[in-house]
Amino acid sequence: MTPKTAHQKAAILTEALPYIQRFHGKTIVIKYGGNAMTEEHLKTRFARDVVLMKLVGMNPVVVHGGGPQIGATLARMGVSTEFVQGMRVTDQETMQVVEMVLGGLVNKEIVNLINQAGGCAVGLTGKDGGLIQARKLLVRNAASESPDDLLDVGLVGEVERVNPALLQILERQDIIPVIAPIGVGPDGQTYNINADLVAGKLAETLHAEKFILMTNVAGVLDKSGELLTGLTPGRVQDLIADGTIYGGMLPKLACCLSAVSNGVKTAHIIDGRVEHALLLEIFTDEGVGTLISGE
């Protein structure tokens, strides 16, 4: 190692120190998805990042999606899939596959990766310990002018309440929770829930320091395609009003705005295609995505 290389590495480590001190003992909820969940080299680096966060005293909570894996499994089984406004219509047969893929295959792969990287992770669904209480979600009919015209998309739910007791026990034991976005209704019915929504509500309930959404884009972009690194709720609303922000970014930002309005210090939208994106966002001055803070 040359003196110049050694100096650069030392500078990186010293830059991380104040962030390690600031976030020691703090909860950070991470929505894990996109390419970071499907590309092998990104998966292993994500697991190492989470383990490092835990070892320096942070409390990471991982919530994962799994739409592509669900779709592939349904296709292999010859089960057709219908989407309404981006939501998978979920009958009882489809729900069984969703629970198998999310709560089994995907969840346990992430748990195994974290454990192989030297951490101690435990996989959960919202059914475990009554973690996620859900209710049926009815979707507004976009083709209708009436706000009361609602569509039934099956066993798709929304979060009614989060019970943090189990997560608090795991935190005291230095265990990293890995959570599949499946909830349970008061009648025991299982519901498939959007992972962004689950992660956001968990962040609010746990009074997290940070809520981080990993995506397949660099973050929020302006009309010139340049990354907007720091936003407030008011600025976000202005960007929505003038058409800068639209489409699939809208529901993600809604989760972020809800989080920072309900006790979460900052929300981040980061590019999961970047190796070690988590560490770069948390431990460096520049970060790699968009940070949203309260006014």
Side-chain angles (χ1 to χ4, degrees), residues 226-282:
E226 297 296 320
L227 179 66
L228 298 169
T229 56
L231 295 172
T232 63
R235 179 64 176 142
V236 170
Q237 295 299 340
D238 290 342
L239 292 168
I240 293 172
D242 71 12
T244 301
I245 299 173
Y246 60 93
M249 186 58 71
L250 291 172
K252 293 185 182 299
L253 279 168
C255 292
C256 292
L257 294 178
S258 177
V260 298
S261 298
N262 289 283
V264 179
K265 294 289 181 62
T266 56
H268 307 246
I269 298 175
I270 68 172
D271 191 345
R273 300 169 300 180
V274 176
E275 292 188 8
H276 301 298
L278 270 179
L279 299 188
L280 292 169
E281 182 67 13
I282 296 170

Short mmCIF file of all heavy atoms in Angstrom, two decimals, residues 226-282:
data_model
loop_
_atom_site.label_atom_id
_atom_site.label_comp_id
_atom_site.label_asym_id
_atom_site.label_seq_id
_atom_site.Cartn_x
_atom_site.Cartn_y
_atom_site.Cartn_z
N GLU A 226 -30.92 16.12 -12.83
CA GLU A 226 -29.91 16.23 -11.79
C GLU A 226 -30.49 15.80 -10.45
O GLU A 226 -31.66 16.07 -10.13
CB GLU A 226 -29.40 17.67 -11.69
CG GLU A 226 -28.70 18.17 -12.94
CD GLU A 226 -27.43 17.39 -13.24
OE1 GLU A 226 -26.70 17.08 -12.28
OE2 GLU A 226 -27.19 17.08 -14.43
N LEU A 227 -29.65 15.14 -9.65
CA LEU A 227 -30.08 14.63 -8.35
C LEU A 227 -30.33 15.77 -7.38
O LEU A 227 -29.49 16.66 -7.21
CB LEU A 227 -29.02 13.68 -7.79
CG LEU A 227 -29.31 13.08 -6.41
CD1 LEU A 227 -30.52 12.15 -6.47
CD2 LEU A 227 -28.08 12.33 -5.89
N LEU A 228 -31.48 15.72 -6.71
CA LEU A 228 -31.79 16.66 -5.63
C LEU A 228 -31.41 15.99 -4.32
O LEU A 228 -32.05 15.03 -3.90
CB LEU A 228 -33.28 17.03 -5.65
CG LEU A 228 -33.75 17.74 -6.93
CD1 LEU A 228 -35.27 17.82 -6.97
CD2 LEU A 228 -33.14 19.14 -7.02
N THR A 229 -30.37 16.48 -3.68
CA THR A 229 -29.81 15.76 -2.53
C THR A 229 -30.51 16.07 -1.22
O THR A 229 -30.49 15.25 -0.31
CB THR A 229 -28.31 16.07 -2.38
OG1 THR A 229 -28.13 17.50 -2.27
CG2 THR A 229 -27.54 15.56 -3.59
N GLY A 230 -31.12 17.23 -1.11
CA GLY A 230 -31.79 17.59 0.14
C GLY A 230 -33.12 18.27 -0.11
O GLY A 230 -33.20 19.26 -0.86
N LEU A 231 -34.18 17.73 0.48
CA LEU A 231 -35.52 18.29 0.29
C LEU A 231 -36.25 18.41 1.62
O LEU A 231 -35.97 17.68 2.57
CB LEU A 231 -36.34 17.38 -0.64
CG LEU A 231 -35.88 17.23 -2.09
CD1 LEU A 231 -36.70 16.16 -2.79
CD2 LEU A 231 -35.97 18.56 -2.84
N THR A 232 -37.20 19.32 1.66
CA THR A 232 -38.12 19.44 2.78
C THR A 232 -39.52 19.05 2.29
O THR A 232 -39.76 19.01 1.06
CB THR A 232 -38.18 20.87 3.31
OG1 THR A 232 -38.68 21.73 2.25
CG2 THR A 232 -36.79 21.36 3.74
N PRO A 233 -40.46 18.76 3.18
CA PRO A 233 -41.82 18.44 2.72
C PRO A 233 -42.43 19.53 1.84
O PRO A 233 -43.09 19.22 0.83
CB PRO A 233 -42.59 18.28 4.04
CG PRO A 233 -41.56 17.79 5.00
CD PRO A 233 -40.30 18.52 4.63
N GLY A 234 -42.18 20.79 2.18
CA GLY A 234 -42.72 21.87 1.36
C GLY A 234 -42.16 21.88 -0.04
O GLY A 234 -42.89 22.08 -1.03
N ARG A 235 -40.87 21.64 -0.15
CA ARG A 235 -40.22 21.60 -1.47
C ARG A 235 -40.73 20.41 -2.28
O ARG A 235 -40.94 20.52 -3.50
CB ARG A 235 -38.70 21.51 -1.28
CG ARG A 235 -37.92 21.44 -2.58
CD ARG A 235 -38.05 22.68 -3.42
NE ARG A 235 -37.20 22.62 -4.61
CZ ARG A 235 -37.56 23.08 -5.79
NH1 ARG A 235 -38.76 23.67 -5.96
NH2 ARG A 235 -36.73 22.99 -6.82
N VAL A 236 -40.95 19.28 -1.62
CA VAL A 236 -41.49 18.11 -2.31
C VAL A 236 -42.86 18.44 -2.90
O VAL A 236 -43.14 18.11 -4.07
CB VAL A 236 -41.59 16.91 -1.36
CG1 VAL A 236 -42.39 15.77 -2.01
CG2 VAL A 236 -40.20 16.41 -0.97
N GLN A 237 -43.71 19.09 -2.12
CA GLN A 237 -45.04 19.43 -2.62
C GLN A 237 -44.96 20.37 -3.82
O GLN A 237 -45.74 20.25 -4.78
CB GLN A 237 -45.87 20.08 -1.49
CG GLN A 237 -46.18 19.15 -0.32
CD GLN A 237 -46.99 17.93 -0.73
OE1 GLN A 237 -47.64 17.89 -1.77
NE2 GLN A 237 -46.97 16.89 0.11
N ASP A 238 -44.00 21.30 -3.79
CA ASP A 238 -43.82 22.21 -4.93
C ASP A 238 -43.41 21.43 -6.18
O ASP A 238 -43.89 21.72 -7.29
CB ASP A 238 -42.76 23.26 -4.61
CG ASP A 238 -43.21 24.26 -3.56
OD1 ASP A 238 -44.43 24.37 -3.33
OD2 ASP A 238 -42.34 24.93 -2.96
N LEU A 239 -42.52 20.46 -6.01
CA LEU A 239 -42.03 19.66 -7.14
C LEU A 239 -43.13 18.77 -7.71
O LEU A 239 -43.16 18.50 -8.91
CB LEU A 239 -40.83 18.83 -6.72
CG LEU A 239 -39.56 19.63 -6.39
CD1 LEU A 239 -38.52 18.73 -5.72
CD2 LEU A 239 -38.97 20.25 -7.65
N ILE A 240 -44.01 18.30 -6.85
CA ILE A 240 -45.16 17.52 -7.33
C ILE A 240 -46.12 18.43 -8.10
O ILE A 240 -46.61 18.08 -9.18
CB ILE A 240 -45.89 16.85 -6.14
CG1 ILE A 240 -44.99 15.77 -5.51
CG2 ILE A 240 -47.21 16.23 -6.60
CD1 ILE A 240 -45.54 15.20 -4.22
N ALA A 241 -46.36 19.62 -7.56
CA ALA A 241 -47.31 20.54 -8.18
C ALA A 241 -46.85 20.98 -9.57
O ALA A 241 -47.69 21.16 -10.47
CB ALA A 241 -47.51 21.76 -7.28
N ASP A 242 -45.53 21.16 -9.76
CA ASP A 242 -45.07 21.63 -11.08
C ASP A 242 -44.72 20.48 -12.03
O ASP A 242 -44.21 20.70 -13.12
CB ASP A 242 -43.89 22.59 -10.94
CG ASP A 242 -42.58 21.93 -10.50
OD1 ASP A 242 -42.50 20.68 -10.49
OD2 ASP A 242 -41.64 22.66 -10.14
N GLY A 243 -45.00 19.24 -11.60
CA GLY A 243 -44.82 18.09 -12.48
C GLY A 243 -43.43 17.51 -12.52
O GLY A 243 -43.17 16.57 -13.28
N THR A 244 -42.51 18.03 -11.70
CA THR A 244 -41.16 17.48 -11.67
C THR A 244 -41.17 16.05 -11.13
O THR A 244 -40.46 15.17 -11.64
CB THR A 244 -40.23 18.36 -10.80
OG1 THR A 244 -40.21 19.69 -11.33
CG2 THR A 244 -38.82 17.81 -10.76
N ILE A 245 -41.96 15.84 -10.09
CA ILE A 245 -42.09 14.51 -9.50
C ILE A 245 -43.42 13.92 -9.93
O ILE A 245 -44.47 14.55 -9.78
CB ILE A 245 -42.02 14.58 -7.96
CG1 ILE A 245 -40.68 15.16 -7.51
CG2 ILE A 245 -42.23 13.21 -7.35
CD1 ILE A 245 -40.60 15.41 -6.01
N TYR A 246 -43.38 12.69 -10.45
CA TYR A 246 -44.61 12.06 -10.94
C TYR A 246 -44.40 10.54 -10.96
O TYR A 246 -43.32 10.03 -10.67
CB TYR A 246 -44.95 12.56 -12.35
CG TYR A 246 -43.88 12.27 -13.38
CD1 TYR A 246 -43.92 11.11 -14.15
CD2 TYR A 246 -42.81 13.15 -13.55
CE1 TYR A 246 -42.92 10.83 -15.07
CE2 TYR A 246 -41.80 12.88 -14.48
CZ TYR A 246 -41.87 11.72 -15.23
OH TYR A 246 -40.89 11.45 -16.14
N GLY A 247 -45.46 9.83 -11.30
CA GLY A 247 -45.38 8.39 -11.51
C GLY A 247 -45.01 7.61 -10.26
O GLY A 247 -45.48 7.89 -9.15
N GLY A 248 -44.12 6.62 -10.43
CA GLY A 248 -43.80 5.69 -9.35
C GLY A 248 -43.08 6.31 -8.18
O GLY A 248 -43.01 5.71 -7.11
N MET A 249 -42.52 7.52 -8.37
CA MET A 249 -41.85 8.18 -7.25
C MET A 249 -42.85 8.75 -6.24
O MET A 249 -42.52 8.92 -5.06
CB MET A 249 -40.94 9.29 -7.78
CG MET A 249 -40.06 9.96 -6.73
SD MET A 249 -38.96 8.83 -5.84
CE MET A 249 -37.77 8.44 -7.13
N LEU A 250 -44.08 9.02 -6.69
CA LEU A 250 -45.07 9.64 -5.81
C LEU A 250 -45.38 8.80 -4.56
O LEU A 250 -45.35 9.32 -3.45
CB LEU A 250 -46.35 9.96 -6.59
CG LEU A 250 -46.22 11.07 -7.63
CD1 LEU A 250 -47.50 11.16 -8.46
CD2 LEU A 250 -45.95 12.41 -6.95
N PRO A 251 -45.71 7.50 -4.71
CA PRO A 251 -46.01 6.73 -3.49
C PRO A 251 -44.80 6.57 -2.57
O PRO A 251 -44.95 6.51 -1.35
CB PRO A 251 -46.50 5.38 -4.02
CG PRO A 251 -46.03 5.31 -5.44
CD PRO A 251 -45.99 6.72 -5.93
N LYS A 252 -43.59 6.52 -3.14
CA LYS A 252 -42.40 6.42 -2.30
C LYS A 252 -42.21 7.69 -1.48
O LYS A 252 -41.91 7.65 -0.28
CB LYS A 252 -41.17 6.15 -3.17
CG LYS A 252 -41.18 4.78 -3.83
CD LYS A 252 -39.91 4.48 -4.57
CE LYS A 252 -39.99 3.12 -5.26
NZ LYS A 252 -40.19 2.02 -4.30
N LEU A 253 -42.43 8.83 -2.13
CA LEU A 253 -42.30 10.09 -1.41
C LEU A 253 -43.41 10.26 -0.37
O LEU A 253 -43.20 10.86 0.68
CB LEU A 253 -42.31 11.26 -2.39
CG LEU A 253 -40.95 11.51 -3.06
CD1 LEU A 253 -41.09 12.47 -4.23
CD2 LEU A 253 -39.95 12.05 -2.04
N ALA A 254 -44.59 9.71 -0.67
CA ALA A 254 -45.68 9.77 0.31
C ALA A 254 -45.28 9.04 1.59
O ALA A 254 -45.55 9.51 2.70
CB ALA A 254 -46.96 9.18 -0.28
N CYS A 255 -44.61 7.89 1.44
CA CYS A 255 -44.12 7.15 2.61
C CYS A 255 -43.09 7.97 3.38
O CYS A 255 -43.10 8.02 4.61
CB CYS A 255 -43.49 5.83 2.19
SG CYS A 255 -44.64 4.61 1.53
N CYS A 256 -42.19 8.62 2.64
CA CYS A 256 -41.15 9.43 3.27
C CYS A 256 -41.75 10.62 4.01
O CYS A 256 -41.35 10.93 5.14
CB CYS A 256 -40.16 9.91 2.22
SG CYS A 256 -39.15 8.60 1.49
N LEU A 257 -42.70 11.30 3.38
CA LEU A 257 -43.32 12.47 4.02
C LEU A 257 -44.09 12.07 5.27
O LEU A 257 -44.06 12.78 6.28
CB LEU A 257 -44.23 13.18 3.02
CG LEU A 257 -43.55 13.83 1.83
CD1 LEU A 257 -44.58 14.46 0.90
CD2 LEU A 257 -42.54 14.88 2.27
N SER A 258 -44.79 10.94 5.20
CA SER A 258 -45.51 10.45 6.38
C SER A 258 -44.52 10.17 7.51
O SER A 258 -44.77 10.51 8.67
CB SER A 258 -46.30 9.19 6.03
OG SER A 258 -46.93 8.66 7.17
N ALA A 259 -43.38 9.56 7.16
CA ALA A 259 -42.39 9.20 8.18
C ALA A 259 -41.85 10.44 8.88
O ALA A 259 -41.82 10.51 10.12
CB ALA A 259 -41.25 8.39 7.55
N VAL A 260 -41.41 11.45 8.10
CA VAL A 260 -40.81 12.63 8.74
C VAL A 260 -41.86 13.49 9.44
O VAL A 260 -41.51 14.32 10.30
CB VAL A 260 -40.00 13.47 7.73
CG1 VAL A 260 -38.85 12.66 7.17
CG2 VAL A 260 -40.87 14.02 6.61
N SER A 261 -43.13 13.28 9.10
CA SER A 261 -44.20 14.00 9.80
C SER A 261 -44.62 13.29 11.09
O SER A 261 -45.39 13.86 11.88
CB SER A 261 -45.43 14.14 8.89
OG SER A 261 -45.12 14.89 7.74
N ASN A 262 -44.11 12.08 11.28
CA ASN A 262 -44.52 11.29 12.44
C ASN A 262 -43.32 10.79 13.25
O ASN A 262 -43.31 9.66 13.72
CB ASN A 262 -45.38 10.11 11.99
CG ASN A 262 -46.75 10.54 11.52
OD1 ASN A 262 -47.63 10.85 12.33
ND2 ASN A 262 -46.95 10.58 10.21
N GLY A 263 -42.34 11.66 13.39
CA GLY A 263 -41.27 11.40 14.35
C GLY A 263 -39.96 10.87 13.82
O GLY A 263 -38.98 10.79 14.56
N VAL A 264 -39.91 10.45 12.53
CA VAL A 264 -38.65 9.97 11.97
C VAL A 264 -37.81 11.19 11.59
O VAL A 264 -38.30 12.12 10.97
CB VAL A 264 -38.90 9.08 10.73
CG1 VAL A 264 -37.59 8.61 10.12
CG2 VAL A 264 -39.78 7.89 11.12
N LYS A 265 -36.54 11.18 11.97
CA LYS A 265 -35.70 12.37 11.77
C LYS A 265 -35.50 12.66 10.28
O LYS A 265 -35.69 13.80 9.85
CB LYS A 265 -34.34 12.17 12.45
CG LYS A 265 -34.40 12.08 13.96
CD LYS A 265 -34.74 13.41 14.59
CE LYS A 265 -34.78 13.31 16.10
NZ LYS A 265 -33.47 12.93 16.68
N THR A 266 -35.08 11.66 9.51
CA THR A 266 -34.85 11.87 8.08
C THR A 266 -35.27 10.63 7.30
O THR A 266 -35.19 9.52 7.80
CB THR A 266 -33.36 12.16 7.76
OG1 THR A 266 -32.55 11.11 8.26
CG2 THR A 266 -32.92 13.49 8.37
N ALA A 267 -35.71 10.87 6.06
CA ALA A 267 -36.01 9.78 5.13
C ALA A 267 -35.08 9.92 3.93
O ALA A 267 -34.72 11.04 3.54
CB ALA A 267 -37.46 9.84 4.68
N HIS A 268 -34.68 8.79 3.37
CA HIS A 268 -33.70 8.79 2.28
C HIS A 268 -34.19 7.88 1.17
O HIS A 268 -34.68 6.79 1.42
CB HIS A 268 -32.35 8.24 2.77
CG HIS A 268 -31.81 8.92 3.98
ND1 HIS A 268 -30.67 9.67 3.96
CD2 HIS A 268 -32.25 8.94 5.27
CE1 HIS A 268 -30.41 10.14 5.17
NE2 HIS A 268 -31.37 9.70 5.98
N ILE A 269 -34.03 8.34 -0.06
CA ILE A 269 -34.26 7.50 -1.24
C ILE A 269 -32.90 7.34 -1.91
O ILE A 269 -32.30 8.33 -2.35
CB ILE A 269 -35.28 8.13 -2.20
CG1 ILE A 269 -36.64 8.26 -1.51
CG2 ILE A 269 -35.42 7.29 -3.47
CD1 ILE A 269 -37.70 8.97 -2.33
N ILE A 270 -32.39 6.11 -1.95
CA ILE A 270 -31.03 5.89 -2.44
C ILE A 270 -31.02 4.84 -3.55
O ILE A 270 -31.95 4.05 -3.69
CB ILE A 270 -30.07 5.47 -1.30
CG1 ILE A 270 -30.41 4.08 -0.77
CG2 ILE A 270 -30.09 6.50 -0.18
CD1 ILE A 270 -29.38 3.54 0.21
N ASP A 271 -29.93 4.85 -4.30
CA ASP A 271 -29.78 3.99 -5.46
C ASP A 271 -29.15 2.67 -5.04
O ASP A 271 -27.94 2.60 -4.79
CB ASP A 271 -28.92 4.69 -6.51
CG ASP A 271 -28.92 3.99 -7.85
OD1 ASP A 271 -29.36 2.82 -7.91
OD2 ASP A 271 -28.50 4.61 -8.84
N GLY A 272 -29.95 1.62 -4.98
CA GLY A 272 -29.45 0.31 -4.57
C GLY A 272 -28.55 -0.34 -5.60
O GLY A 272 -27.94 -1.37 -5.31
N ARG A 273 -28.43 0.25 -6.79
CA ARG A 273 -27.53 -0.29 -7.81
C ARG A 273 -26.08 0.09 -7.53
O ARG A 273 -25.17 -0.45 -8.14
CB ARG A 273 -27.94 0.23 -9.19
CG ARG A 273 -29.35 -0.16 -9.60
CD ARG A 273 -29.79 0.59 -10.84
NE ARG A 273 -29.78 2.05 -10.61
CZ ARG A 273 -30.11 2.95 -11.52
NH1 ARG A 273 -30.50 2.54 -12.73
NH2 ARG A 273 -30.08 4.24 -11.25
N VAL A 274 -25.89 1.03 -6.60
CA VAL A 274 -24.54 1.47 -6.22
C VAL A 274 -24.02 0.56 -5.12
O VAL A 274 -24.70 0.36 -4.10
CB VAL A 274 -24.56 2.93 -5.74
CG1 VAL A 274 -23.17 3.35 -5.24
CG2 VAL A 274 -25.04 3.85 -6.84
N GLU A 275 -22.83 0.00 -5.31
CA GLU A 275 -22.26 -0.86 -4.29
C GLU A 275 -22.06 -0.09 -2.98
O GLU A 275 -21.59 1.04 -2.98
CB GLU A 275 -20.92 -1.43 -4.76
CG GLU A 275 -21.05 -2.41 -5.91
CD GLU A 275 -19.74 -3.10 -6.24
OE1 GLU A 275 -18.77 -2.91 -5.48
OE2 GLU A 275 -19.68 -3.82 -7.26
N HIS A 276 -22.44 -0.72 -1.87
CA HIS A 276 -22.32 -0.14 -0.53
C HIS A 276 -23.09 1.18 -0.41
O HIS A 276 -22.66 2.09 0.30
CB HIS A 276 -20.85 0.06 -0.16
CG HIS A 276 -20.05 -1.21 -0.15
ND1 HIS A 276 -20.33 -2.26 0.70
CD2 HIS A 276 -18.99 -1.59 -0.90
CE1 HIS A 276 -19.46 -3.24 0.48
NE2 HIS A 276 -18.66 -2.87 -0.49
N ALA A 277 -24.23 1.27 -1.10
CA ALA A 277 -25.02 2.50 -1.06
C ALA A 277 -25.40 2.89 0.36
O ALA A 277 -25.42 4.07 0.72
CB ALA A 277 -26.27 2.34 -1.92
N LEU A 278 -25.72 1.90 1.18
CA LEU A 278 -26.10 2.19 2.57
C LEU A 278 -24.98 2.90 3.32
O LEU A 278 -25.21 3.92 3.98
CB LEU A 278 -26.44 0.88 3.30
CG LEU A 278 -27.87 0.39 3.28
CD1 LEU A 278 -27.96 -0.93 4.05
CD2 LEU A 278 -28.81 1.41 3.87
N LEU A 279 -23.79 2.36 3.24
CA LEU A 279 -22.66 2.96 3.95
C LEU A 279 -22.36 4.35 3.43
O LEU A 279 -22.08 5.28 4.20
CB LEU A 279 -21.42 2.08 3.83
CG LEU A 279 -21.51 0.65 4.39
CD1 LEU A 279 -20.14 -0.01 4.35
CD2 LEU A 279 -22.06 0.65 5.81
N LEU A 280 -22.41 4.53 2.13
CA LEU A 280 -22.13 5.83 1.54
C LEU A 280 -23.14 6.88 1.97
O LEU A 280 -22.79 8.04 2.20
CB LEU A 280 -22.10 5.72 0.01
CG LEU A 280 -20.94 4.90 -0.57
CD1 LEU A 280 -21.17 4.63 -2.05
CD2 LEU A 280 -19.61 5.62 -0.35
N GLU A 281 -24.41 6.48 2.09
CA GLU A 281 -25.44 7.43 2.50
C GLU A 281 -25.34 7.79 3.98
O GLU A 281 -25.55 8.94 4.36
CB GLU A 281 -26.83 6.86 2.19
CG GLU A 281 -27.99 7.79 2.52
CD GLU A 281 -28.04 9.03 1.64
OE1 GLU A 281 -27.35 9.09 0.61
OE2 GLU A 281 -28.79 9.96 2.01
N ILE A 282 -25.01 6.82 4.80
CA ILE A 282 -25.02 7.05 6.25
C ILE A 282 -23.71 7.63 6.76
O ILE A 282 -23.70 8.49 7.65
CB ILE A 282 -25.33 5.72 6.98
CG1 ILE A 282 -26.74 5.25 6.64
CG2 ILE A 282 -25.19 5.89 8.50
CD1 ILE A 282 -27.05 3.85 7.12
#
